[in-house]
């Protein structure tokens, strides 16, 4: 495995931070195409709690994000414009092209990262991604979460794992860098199943992985199940034991972009250990010091 920090240093020559952006898009799991109400864990902002309003121009959103980050990051930091909320490719191809090109033209942006679902990559969108990636490094982030179709159906993912496999193949044919998101702690999964998802993504050809624990957020279907005592969350030690076993499965050329997620405190119900970011970072630095 390679850490994201090492990967960015090799590719860009310095540290890279993400400037989160929202587009005026929704998601097929919310607009009735595949479902309503979203995946059982997804908050109302569709994972975009750190982005500015989608109604602001992309350039303004990037400026806002950089202003917020600039207090904490070194002066020579580079930025990745991160299209994070909902399903960033669930839109008209011309709209996406315009927004990606606007971000790519920002003087401080050195790369783009686009978060989406594998079933929202029709040919015209793939063409846009391929063309933009010739101009600026582009990462495409796919929310797989699990390779188990039954578990995926239970939280309402809305596509089968074979769709993910086909999407990774299509993206690799276009030479686009793929990052796969996996959640550890989904109801109905034991550790072996979670590790199977890691193996599956690696075998499918992902270039990078992002791990996160299951968060229970306000206003989600999992909140109701959690409050009713029907589902549980992972404790910190349990979670990082799984992460440790997962890392052992990751080949040398695959980049680990994240060992745990960055849940938004304003919607977080559980697990509460994730809210103490300093403590979690210290724990990771101690436990994984030989790897990071
Ligand atoms: S696909 Fe993504 S944005 Fe849509 S409901 Fe699921 S987690 Fe939320």
């Amino acid at each position: 495995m390679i850490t994201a920090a090492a990967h960015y240093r090799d590719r860009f020559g310095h540290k890279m931070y993400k400037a989160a952006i929202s587009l005026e898009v929704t998601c097929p799991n919310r607009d009735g195409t595949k479902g309503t109400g979203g995946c059982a864990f997804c908050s109302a902002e569709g994972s975009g709690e750190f982005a500015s309003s989608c109604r602001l121009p992309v350039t303004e959103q990037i400026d806002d994000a950089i202003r917020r980050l600039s207090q904490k990051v070194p002066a020579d930091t580079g930025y990745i414009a991160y299209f994070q909320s909902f399903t960033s490719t669930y839109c008209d191809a011309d709209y996406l092209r315009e927004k990606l090109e606007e971000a790519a033209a920002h003087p401080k942006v050195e790369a783009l990262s686009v978060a989406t679902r594998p079933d929202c990559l029709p040919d015209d969108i793939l063409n846009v991604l391929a063309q933009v990636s010739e101009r600026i490094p582009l990462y495409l982030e796919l929310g797989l979460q699990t390779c188990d179709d039954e578990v995926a159906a239970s939280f309402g993912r809305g596509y089968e794992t074979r769709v993910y496999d086909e999407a990774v193949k299509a993206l690799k044919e276009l030479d686009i860098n793929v990052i796969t998101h996996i959640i550890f702690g989904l109801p109905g999964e034991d550790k072996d199943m979670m590790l199977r998802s890691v193996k599956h993504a690696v075998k499918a050809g992902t270039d990078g992985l992002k791990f996160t624990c299951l968060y229970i957020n306000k206003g989600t279907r999992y909140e109701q199940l959690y409050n009713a005592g029907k589902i549980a969350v992972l404790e910190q030690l349990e979670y990082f034991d799984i992460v440790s076993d997962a890392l052992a499965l990751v080949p040398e050329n695959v980049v680990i972009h994240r060992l745990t997620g960055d849940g938004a405190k304003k919607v977080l119900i559980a697990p509460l250990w994730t809210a103490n970011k300093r403590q979690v970072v210290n724990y990771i630095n101690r436990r994984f010091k030989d790897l990071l």
Side-chain angles (χ1 to χ4, degrees):
M1 57 155 278
I2 313 167
T3 64
H7 165 75
Y8 292 142
R9 207 171 41 240
D10 288 350
R11 190 166 187 186
F12 301 97
H14 48 63
K15 290 192 173 187
M16 296 288 280
Y17 280 84
K18 282 185 164 167
I21 299 168
S22 292
L23 294 182
E24 288 188 83
V25 293
T26 176
C27 160
N29 275 6
R30 291 184 172 274
D31 70 357
T33 303
K34 295 216 165 151
T36 53
C39 298
F41 51 78
C42 184
S43 61
E45 276 99 344
S47 308
E49 286 84 3
F50 301 102
S52 303
S53 164
C54 60
R55 281 182 283 279
L56 289 176
V58 161
T59 308
E60 224 171 289
Q61 293 190 50
I62 295 170
D63 286 339
D64 279 354
I66 292 178
R67 215 173 295 125
R68 285 195 299 271
L69 283 166
S70 59
Q71 319 277 331
K72 310 183 213 161
V73 304
D76 69 340
T77 292
Y79 290 95
I80 301 171
Y82 181 27
F83 293 80
Q84 181 179 23
S85 311
F86 297 111
T87 301
S88 301
T89 63
Y90 192 46
C91 57
D92 182 78
D94 289 336
Y95 172 80
L96 182 66
R97 181 192 304 280
E98 186 195 318
K99 300 300 172 186
L100 294 182
E101 286 181 351
E102 185 179 343
H106 192 286
K108 292 201 171 152
V109 168
E110 294 179 42
L112 308 179
S113 200
V114 179
T116 190
R117 301 163 47 100
D119 57 343
C120 292
L121 292 168
D123 286 349
D124 55 351
I125 293 284
L126 285 174
N127 282 341
V128 169
L129 295 171
Q131 284 164 13
V132 173
S133 73
E134 282 171 13
R135 175 173 167 199
I136 185 167
L138 186 143
Y139 298 85
L140 202 287
E141 306 200 17
L142 295 175
L144 173 66
Q145 324 306 2
T146 175
C147 71
D148 188 292
D149 277 333
E150 252 180 63
V151 173
S154 74
F155 69 74
R157 189 177 67 182
Y159 68 84
E160 291 175 357
T161 296
R162 65 169 177 78
V163 178
Y164 162 83
D165 298 342
E166 287 158 12
V168 176
K169 189 163 176 276
L171 290 161
K172 294 317 301 163
E173 277 165 12
L174 296 169
D175 211 16
I176 292 174
N177 192 298
V178 178
I179 300 172
T180 301
H181 294 214
I182 293 176
I183 296 179
F184 294 146
L186 285 165
E189 290 212 315
D190 59 20
K191 183 157 94 169
D192 286 347
M193 294 167 81
M194 299 174 212
L195 297 180
R196 209 174 300 143
S197 294
V198 177
K199 286 186 213 156
H200 188 102
V202 166
K203 191 163 173 231
T206 195
D207 299 289
L209 288 162
K210 277 188 173 180
F211 302 138
T212 189
C213 63
L214 175 71
Y215 291 101
I216 307 297
N217 286 327
K218 282 184 193 150
T220 60
R221 291 203 299 290
Y222 275 170
E223 180 190 9
Q224 294 163 18
L225 294 175
Y226 181 78
N227 288 341
K230 293 189 174 155
I231 61 172
V233 290
L234 295 170
E235 293 302 328
Q236 178 169 296
L237 180 60
E238 264 179 302
Y239 174 71
F240 284 109
D241 282 352
I242 296 163
V243 168
S244 179
D245 288 354
L247 291 178
L249 300 171
V250 178
E252 264 177 19
N253 60 327
V254 171
V255 180
I256 298 297
H257 287 266
R258 191 174 72 189
L259 292 186
T260 185
D262 211 6
K265 274 192 195 162
K266 63 180 179 182
V267 292
L268 179 71
I269 302 224
L272 288 177
W273 59 265
T274 63
N276 189 343
K277 291 209 176 101
R278 185 185 296 260
Q279 185 278 128
V280 174
V281 169
N282 288 341
Y283 179 90
I284 289 174
N285 288 340
R286 266 199 321 275
R287 178 157 183 182
F288 299 101
K289 66 176 182 302
D290 296 335
L291 293 172
L292 302 176

